[in-house]
Amino acid sequence: MSAETRTAGSAAASPVPPPVPPPLLVDAEAGGAEAGGAEAGGAEAGGAASAAGAVARRALLAHPALLLAGIVLASLNMRAALASVAPLVGEISGAFGLSSTASSLVTSVPVLFLGVGALVAPWLGRRFGAERVLLAALLLLAVGILARVLPSVYALYGGGILVGTAIALLNVLMPGLIKRDFPDRAAAMTSVYTGAMIAGATVAAAAAVPLEKALGGGWEGSLGFWSLLAVVAAGAWLPQVLIARGRTGHEVRAVPAAGARPVSVWRSALAWQVTLFMGLQSLWSYVLIAWMPTIFTDHGMSRSTAGVVFAFNNLIQVAGAFVVPLLAGRMRSQRPLIVLVTTLVAAGYAGLMVAPVAGAWLWSAVLGVGQGGAVGLALTLIVLRSGDAVTAARLSGMAQTVGYLLAAAGPLAAGALHQATGSWTLPIGVVLGVCAAALTVGLFAARDRTV
């Protein structure tokens, strides 16, 4: 997980990694200027909108069911293609004769390109418009999913590159589009799309093994099935693209606070503390996304049960992701919450080390609350530690790019250590060290200061 994107102390988030908080925007329509928000660099760029385009946009928003359906369907895809792999890693490895280290690349490669894709997403949004890029991302996602089921290990990894890049585009552009088209209901719509994202991951994880059996016993059918969801979502986005063609675009530019000078987040110690907490919590989440079902099956649990427990872990994250940001917004210092979420995650990992099967449901719940809370807290810290909206956008872009690149190392390292030792004790022990590092850097990031 899967940027995972922005929630400012709002609703639920997923393990994937996170949306970028929007800057303050000036959005020029034919009828005048309007204040709104969008991704760093803007969701869409261009000149003044045509009168016909403005009318079309107002008509759409007067009856937003179609737009809402497009947002929900797109959000369902933002983690399903990642979560559907974990319960099938054993079958995929057996089919290609992969080692544990090579198997870990099946999940690490998409996460790596979540970070790489985040670098180009804002530029693509400005150049071609959010609607077009989102449509292209969904089609690219469908192609990437299908490529992974071809009888070639190169296609398996190449498809992972396409999947990660496509999800990165969705992660980065979706919050800005929501803020632009629902400026008065951005928080509620953020809850809708993050909830749909978690639901997609939960269903994909739970359905992976049953789909494998229902579609003839092969992992290819189970994995490829989710390309249909991407195609359906792309069809739902087509009307948005057609409407966008009726105007030359929105001029979107970040407006710094009055009298404020630009802040270089890359030179700020506080910005790096926030970024490292984001990356470390993403790392422990993606280790679980990659290996939790395998840890259970290696200790004797059936694959179907392991998939359901993994899905439960995804679902329970909603609780932490919803409550922790609300608490964080009411506190001057978020240090108690840093201690809480890192302790929960460490306790859950320790449980996986000492009694993985006997306490599977308990550890899954403890980890879920901790994971969800950590994701929500990391997103909230981006906003709270930023002095203005422009800085928030820059900090979020930095945290998302560096965080995903750091998180990509987690599944690969865990797989390599498991292969070298034949046990999950050392990999889990290393993750416990990651929890300690996240606690340390998080205590600095949670201080009542701004970049």
Side-chain angles (χ1 to χ4, degrees), residues 323-325 327-329 331 333-342 377:
V323 174
V324 170
L327 296 175
M331 305 168 73
S333 169
Q334 291 73 39
R335 286 182 167 185
L337 296 177
I338 293 287
V339 174
L340 174 63
V341 297
T342 54
L377 182 55

Side-chain angles (χ1 to χ4, degrees), residues 6 10 34 58 60-65 67-68 71 175 177-193:
R6 161 194 183 264
S10 66
E34 174 184 326
R58 285 195 294 270
L60 175 70
L61 295 180
H63 303 283
L67 178 58
L68 179 60
I71 290 172
L177 184 140
I178 287 174
K179 184 66 176 179
R180 186 197 70 193
D181 287 346
F182 298 92
D184 299 326
R185 290 174 286 170
M189 290 304 301
T190 298
S191 299
V192 169
Y193 100 82

Side-chain angles (χ1 to χ4, degrees), residues 104 108 111 282-284 286-287 290-291 405-416 431:
S104 67
S108 292
V111 178
S282 296
L283 188 152
W284 72 45
Y286 278 101
V287 168
W291 295 115
L405 294 177
L406 179 60
L412 179 62
V431 176

Side-chain angles (χ1 to χ4, degrees), residues 22-37:
L24 183 64
L25 303 180
V26 174
D27 184 0
E29 285 278 12
E34 174 184 326

Side-chain angles (χ1 to χ4, degrees), residues 292-389:
M292 177 183 268
T294 304
I295 292 172
F296 289 141
T297 56
D298 281 356
H299 287 87
M301 184 181 288
S302 69
R303 289 196 307 116
S304 58
T305 302
V308 174
V309 176
F310 177 57
F312 174 70
N313 170 260
N314 280 271
L315 181 61
I316 206 69
Q317 291 177 42
V318 177
F322 180 77
V323 174
V324 170
L326 293 179
L327 296 175
R330 301 184 181 190
M331 305 168 73
R332 293 180 62 85
S333 169
Q334 291 73 39
R335 286 182 167 185
L337 296 177
I338 293 287
V339 174
L340 174 63
V341 297
T342 54
T343 300
L344 286 172
V345 172
Y349 265 107
L352 290 180
M353 181 187 293
V354 299
V357 174
W361 291 98
L362 175 60
W363 312 137
S364 182
V366 171
L367 282 164
V369 175
Q371 286 173 268
V375 170
L377 182 55
L379 293 170
T380 306
L381 287 176
I382 290 175
V383 178
L384 296 178
R385 300 288 86 87
S386 300
D388 55 55

Side-chain angles (χ1 to χ4, degrees), residues 159-178:
I161 292 174
L162 299 182
V163 166
T165 303
I167 294 175
L169 298 178
L170 295 170
N171 282 346
V172 171
L173 295 179
M174 182 64 75
L177 184 140
I178 287 174

Side-chain angles (χ1 to χ4, degrees), residues 72-73 105 146 149 151 160 187-188 207 213 227 232 259 262-263 311 319 323 356 368 379 388-389 446:
V72 170
L73 287 170
L105 290 174
L146 292 177
V149 305
K213 296 177 180 178
S227 64
V232 170
V263 175
V323 174
L379 293 170
D388 55 55

Side-chain angles (χ1 to χ4, degrees), residues 246-271:
R247 54 199 168 97
T248 58
H250 293 323
E251 182 182 358
V252 182
R253 58 186 181 277
V255 180
R261 60 183 180 83
V263 175
S264 176
V265 294
W266 295 92
R267 297 180 181 179
S268 167
L270 179 57

